[in-house]
Amino acid sequence: MPSERYRWETLEALKGSSKGQLSYSRDWLLRGEDILEGCRSPPKLSSYSGWVLDRVISQSLQETPLSRSSTPNESIPPTDDQPPSLAKTTSPASQLRSSPLSSAAPSETKGNEDLSLLETDHDVHLMVLPSKVTEVEGCIWMYEEVHRLKGKEGLRQRQEQQEQVVRAVSDMASEQLKRFDELKELKQHQEYQDLQEVMEKSSREAQGQQEKLKEEHRHRAKILNLKLREAEQQRQRQEELERLRKEEGQERLRRLYSIQEEVLQLNQQIDPNYRHKDLPRIDLSGFSNRGNQICGLVSGLIRTTSERGFPTQVDVANTERALQEMRGLISSMQQEIATALEEKRKRDEEEERERQKELQKQEQLKAQTPVPAQHPRGKEQKEVLGLQVKAEESTMQWYQQLQDASDQCVASFSGLTDCKDNQVKHIRMDLQKAASIPVSQISSIAGSQLREIFDKINNLLSGKSVQSGGRTVSVTQHPQGLDFVYYKLAEKFVKQGEEEVASHHEAAFPIAVVASGIWELHPRVGDLILAHLHKKCPYSVPFYPAFKEGTPIEEYQRILGYQVKDSKVEQQDNFLKRMSGMIRLYAAIIQLRWPYGNKQVSHPHGLGHGWRWLAQMLNMEPLSDVTATLLFDFLEVCGNALMKHYQVQFWKMLLLIREDYFHRIEAITISGQMGSLMRLKQFLEKCLQRKEIPLPKGYLSSSFWRS
């Protein structure tokens, strides 16, 4: 049918239009595109619809002759394809004029206006349009309406489907989130349970370990308490035994001291001159020598026992035997003296009788021939019976004057030493450090260093301020400060000889040269040095202190120069070492002078005092081990200076020592004390053989003062 053909052509035209070319896709919603974007604009005919209608109308006019067409006032009969509602009376010309599609050049604006006219006056247009046009337009409208309704329904369904999908997805996500939270909570709960179980297990193990440790600690504490009680009981037993041993040792030591005191007292009964005053022809030197040996034996036993602790019963028995021997010796001497006195008395009686007879004969001769009386001429000569035991009277007076001066110096600063004020105590400590520290710093490193030390000491004694320990010190800080520094400085010099020189013989020369220079500028320091030296080493006088009745043995040993601490006498080797150090310092002082002093002033205590000391030593009876040691030390240090000064006289002195005095020393030296004697002998033989005494080791040469 023609209508069918027009229908398909119309559909093809619509398909080629802009709306007919729209594409529809199920994925619009997923891509975010709007499915109704092409349907939002109001429906309108294409610009080509007029061209289509013209062609349709022209073809329909050609097929239907004008004769068959009705007049303009006749109504057009409805066709089968046209709906009854559209069967209205209209003329073709008016339909053509009224149709908006009759325009050959359609425009979008005109199409829109035609579309609006169709919408407002739809009935009028339908009445005007011809049946074919009306049919096509109705089909188009119905198609569009159906398509719109289908699109809307599809869109609604799709929206519902999407909403259902979204709700399903949301519900599923919510359920998954709940399951995830539940799973996470379950894992956390399991981890917490595991951690709690581990902690409980660790706690139980720690408690078990702690209980075990407590049990071990209690067990060990019990064992330690038992051991401590046993140790305490053992210590108490040991202390008790030690106390008993000390008491017995002290008792035996007191017994030894009492025996030594008795031996010394018995030895005093032997005349030191070895000859009885009433029996000049009787020689008691054998008794005296044996008495001295017994005294030395007892003293040696006491020193030996003091070194190892307390004396044993064997030591007490040995000293008692020595005491019995001394008593027997005194008894024998007294018997010999008694026998000699009896013989002397008899001889005196016989001599008296002979003298009476001789007087009677002389009386008879005088009566017969008178003879003028003759008066004896000359002075009675004193018979030299032996060497001295005591020092000369002048020497002892000089010794006593020095000790008195030292005591007066101590008394002069008693206010400084006895004061309890803290400020005065600080002043005293600062002054003592300022006096002692520079002397301790004396060494043979360089002459410039010695000069700095000398200047520091001299400035202190001159009243100037010096630095000591980071503080400023001056003797003017206290009225008694100068006397205090004098005394402490002299004491320190002697102590350096006792300790430093005793250990290092070369140290005697730098200490001596500084002491000599200070002595020259401050003579009171020199007197105090001698006082301290004589008190610690009486052999530097020389002076052999005699034992006085009633003097404790410990005090007498201190007077001899020994150090006694807690009733223990120092070892003989240590005693000789200290005495040697002080004699070496004295021998260095008398020959050295401060090189920067006044050359026109003589030495305050020069070589003349050294010659006097040596002569007086040779005029006194030697002491075992002591005399040989001191002579060797003195000659080794000062021998070269004495040789240069006294020349021939000094060599005569050495010959006297070797030929006479050495044998006296040898006679009283026991086998264990031969070391010092052999050193003296070798020194004398070497010097006499070479006719020269070498410079002592450590002597300060002129190059030393340029360093």
Side-chain angles (χ1 to χ4, degrees):
M1 294 178 63
S3 60
E4 292 291 332
R5 187 172 54 87
Y6 295 149
R7 184 181 298 171
W8 290 111
E9 289 178 358
T10 303
L11 291 175
E12 288 295 331
L14 290 174
K15 186 177 180 181
S17 65
S18 59
K19 286 187 170 65
Q21 292 179 358
L22 291 175
S23 61
Y24 298 93
S25 177
R26 297 178 180 178
D27 300 330
W28 282 348
L29 182 63
L30 297 178
R31 292 198 300 266
E33 297 180 359
D34 193 353
I35 192 171
L36 300 177
E37 182 179 0
C39 302
R40 285 179 181 175
S41 58
K44 61 182 179 177
L45 292 176
S46 173
S47 57
Y48 298 101
S49 59
W51 176 76
V52 172
L53 291 176
D54 289 340
R55 290 190 63 184
V56 170
I57 293 172
S58 62
Q59 289 178 3
S60 63
L61 290 177
Q62 290 176 3
E63 291 177 359
T64 305
L66 292 174
S67 62
R68 292 177 60 184
S69 63
S70 59
T71 59
N73 291 325
E74 293 178 352
S75 61
I76 300 173
T79 64
D80 295 335
D81 297 330
Q82 194 177 23
S85 59
L86 297 176
K88 292 187 179 179
T89 304
T90 182
S91 64
S94 62
Q95 290 177 1
L96 181 63
R97 287 190 299 266
S98 304
S99 177
L101 299 176
S102 60
S103 176
S107 64
E108 186 176 356
T109 304
K110 185 176 180 180
N112 290 335
E113 292 175 354
D114 293 339
L115 183 59
S116 62
L117 290 174
L118 287 174
E119 289 177 353
T120 56
D121 298 326
H122 187 267
D123 294 335
V124 179
H125 290 170
L126 290 177
M127 291 174 64
V128 176
L129 291 177
S131 61
K132 290 291 182 180
V133 174
T134 304
E135 183 180 358
V136 171
E137 186 177 358
C139 290
I140 291 172
W141 179 83
M142 289 177 67
Y143 180 81
E144 288 179 352
E145 185 67 21
V146 171
H147 190 272
R148 184 180 63 79
L149 292 175
K150 287 182 179 181
K152 184 182 292 186
E153 182 65 22
L155 178 62
R156 184 184 61 77
Q157 293 178 358
R158 185 177 291 275
Q159 285 179 346
E160 290 178 356
Q161 185 180 359
Q162 290 296 329
E163 288 176 358
Q164 291 177 359
V165 171
V166 170
R167 283 195 299 272
V169 171
S170 177
D171 294 340
M172 184 176 64
S174 178
E175 291 297 328
Q176 289 180 353
L177 182 61
K178 289 180 181 179
R179 300 292 85 75
F180 178 77
D181 291 338
E182 291 174 357
L183 181 61
K184 183 177 179 182
E185 185 177 358
L186 179 61
K187 288 183 178 180
Q188 289 180 351
H189 183 69
Q190 291 177 350
E191 290 177 356
Y192 176 76
Q193 291 292 336
D194 295 340
L195 181 61
Q196 189 173 7
E197 290 177 0
V198 171
M199 291 178 64
E200 289 178 356
K201 184 177 179 181
S202 300
S203 177
R204 287 193 299 270
E205 291 178 355
Q207 288 179 357
Q209 187 69 18
Q210 188 175 7
E211 291 296 330
K212 185 178 179 180
L213 290 176
K214 286 182 179 179
E215 185 63 27
E216 291 180 358
H217 177 72
R218 285 193 293 270
H219 180 66
R220 291 180 180 178
K222 290 179 181 179
I223 295 175
L224 289 176
N225 288 332
L226 291 175
K227 290 183 178 180
L228 286 174
R229 282 197 295 271
E230 292 176 359
E232 181 65 21
Q233 293 173 359
Q234 183 69 18
R235 185 186 63 81
Q236 291 177 357
R237 288 194 296 270
Q238 291 292 339
E239 287 181 352
E240 184 65 21
L241 293 175
E242 184 68 18
R243 185 182 62 80
L244 294 176
R245 190 181 68 83
K246 285 185 178 180
E247 289 179 356
E248 293 175 358
Q250 290 287 351
E251 184 64 28
R252 286 194 290 268
L253 188 61
R254 285 192 291 270
R255 176 60 180 162
L256 288 182
Y257 284 145
S258 64
I259 291 173
Q260 185 183 23
E261 184 175 3
E262 186 175 355
V263 167
L264 291 172
Q265 290 175 354
L266 291 174
N267 190 44
Q268 280 187 327
Q269 297 179 14
I270 303 175
D271 197 331
N273 291 326
Y274 307 144
R275 298 179 185 274
H276 196 277
K277 57 184 179 180
D278 296 329
L279 301 171
R281 296 181 181 179
I282 297 179
D283 188 4
L284 302 178
S285 60
F287 294 100
S288 179
N289 290 336
R290 184 54 186 165
N292 289 334
Q293 291 177 359
I294 293 174
C295 291
L297 177 63
V298 173
S299 298
L301 285 173
I302 293 177
R303 281 196 300 272
T304 304
T305 55
S306 299
E307 291 171 3
R308 67 168 182 259
F310 293 102
T312 62
Q313 192 63 35
V314 177
D315 298 329
V316 176
N318 291 334
T319 53
E320 287 179 349
R321 282 197 297 271
L323 176 61
Q324 293 298 329
E325 185 179 357
M326 178 62 80
R327 288 173 179 171
L329 184 66
I330 295 297
S331 228
S332 300
M333 185 189 70
Q334 290 175 352
Q335 289 177 3
E336 185 173 348
I337 291 175
T339 303
L341 286 174
E342 183 64 24
E343 293 177 357
K344 181 178 180 300
R345 186 181 62 78
K346 293 178 181 180
R347 286 197 304 270
D348 289 344
E349 290 178 356
E350 291 178 0
E351 289 177 359
E352 184 64 24
R353 286 194 296 270
E354 292 293 332
R355 190 173 62 82
Q356 291 295 334
K357 290 179 182 180
E358 187 67 26
L359 286 176
Q360 289 177 1
K361 290 180 180 180
Q362 289 180 1
E363 290 287 339
Q364 292 175 359
L365 290 175
K366 286 180 182 180
Q368 295 176 359
T369 306
V371 179
Q374 296 181 356
H375 302 282
R377 292 183 177 181
K379 296 182 179 179
E380 186 176 355
Q381 300 292 331
K382 182 186 294 185
E383 183 180 3
V384 178
L385 301 178
L387 296 177
Q388 302 174 359
V389 177
K390 296 183 179 181
E392 295 179 358
E393 187 67 25
S394 60
T395 302
M396 294 306 300
Q397 290 178 358
W398 174 59
Y399 166 79
Q400 193 59 45
Q401 289 175 0
L402 292 174
Q403 297 303 317
D404 293 341
S406 177
D407 294 340
Q408 290 175 3
C409 183
V410 173
S412 66
F413 60 79
S414 60
L416 178 60
T417 55
D418 298 338
C419 184
K420 304 299 182 182
D421 183 48
N422 290 331
Q423 184 176 1
V424 177
K425 287 182 180 179
H426 288 307
I427 293 174
R428 182 176 70 242
M429 292 299 297
D430 292 341
L431 290 175
Q432 184 170 352
K433 290 179 182 178
S436 302
I437 292 177
V439 180
S440 302
Q441 295 172 345
I442 295 176
S443 65
S444 57
I445 297 176
S448 58
Q449 183 189 22
L450 279 188
R451 190 167 185 179
E452 291 177 1
I453 294 173
F454 177 86
D455 292 340
K456 189 172 184 179
I457 298 174
N458 184 36
N459 291 336
L460 178 65
L461 297 177
S462 300
K464 298 179 181 179
S465 298
V466 297
Q467 293 294 323
S468 177
R471 302 180 62 178
T472 303
V473 184
S474 174
V475 295
T476 58
Q477 291 177 334
H478 195 276
Q480 300 172 0
L482 183 59
D483 292 336
F484 179 76
V485 172
Y486 278 154
Y487 187 85
K488 290 299 179 181
L489 182 63
E491 183 181 42
K492 185 62 178 178
F493 273 120
V494 176
K495 190 174 183 180
Q496 285 295 99
E498 183 182 10
E499 297 176 355
E500 182 66 20
V501 180
S503 301
H504 306 91
H505 293 168
E506 300 86 355
F509 296 97
I511 297 173
V513 73
V514 175
S516 177
I518 296 297
W519 193 337
E520 184 177 334
L521 296 177
H522 306 277
R524 194 174 178 187
V525 176
D527 293 340
L528 292 172
I529 289 175
L530 288 176
H532 282 289
L533 186 65
H534 292 168
K535 188 173 182 179
K536 288 191 172 184
C537 178
Y539 314 104
S540 63
V541 178
F543 166 50
Y544 300 161
F547 180 78
K548 297 180 181 179
E549 188 174 356
T551 304
I553 297 299
E554 295 180 1
E555 184 63 26
Y556 178 62
Q557 288 172 336
R558 289 192 182 94
I559 294 174
L560 291 176
Y562 289 92
Q563 290 182 346
V564 182
K565 294 181 180 179
D566 300 330
S567 301
K568 293 183 180 180
V569 185
E570 67 175 329
Q571 300 179 7
Q572 183 71 6
D573 293 342
N574 189 53
F575 165 74
L576 293 175
K577 184 179 179 181
R578 292 191 303 105
M579 299 299 110
S580 173
M582 287 184 279
I583 287 297
R584 283 179 176 271
L585 178 62
Y586 179 69
I589 288 176
I590 62 178
Q591 64 173 309
L592 293 177
R593 295 195 63 183
W594 182 247
Y596 304 104
N598 188 359
K599 303 297 182 180
Q600 298 178 355
V601 179
S602 61
H603 195 295
H605 197 79
L607 288 173
H609 291 271
W611 182 264
R612 177 196 61 80
W613 182 87
L614 185 59
Q616 289 191 2
M617 281 289 291
L618 300 179
N619 284 331
M620 299 178 69
E621 282 292 337
L623 296 178
S624 176
D625 209 13
V626 175
T627 302
T629 300
L630 299 185
L631 280 177
F632 170 74
D633 292 327
F634 184 83
L635 291 175
E636 188 180 40
V637 176
C638 195
N640 182 271
L642 290 174
M643 177 193 70
K644 292 179 180 179
H645 188 75
Y646 292 99
Q647 297 180 354
V648 178
Q649 297 299 324
F650 177 73
W651 291 113
K652 289 181 180 180
M653 184 81 75
L654 289 187
L655 286 172
L656 175 64
I657 296 173
R658 188 185 70 174
E659 300 298 334
D660 182 51
Y661 200 73
F662 182 81
H663 298 295
R664 290 180 177 270
I665 301 174
E666 189 176 15
I668 64 169
T669 302
I670 60 178
S671 59
Q673 301 174 348
M674 296 298 292
S676 58
L677 185 66
M678 295 308 298
R679 285 194 296 271
L680 177 62
K681 182 179 180 180
Q682 293 173 2
F683 178 80
L684 291 173
E685 290 178 352
K686 182 178 179 180
C687 294
L688 290 171
Q689 183 180 0
R690 297 182 179 181
K691 297 297 181 181
E692 182 182 4
I693 297 180
L695 280 172
K697 187 178 180 181
Y699 187 82
L700 303 180
S701 61
S702 57
S703 61
F704 170 79
W705 300 104
R706 293 194 293 270
S707 60

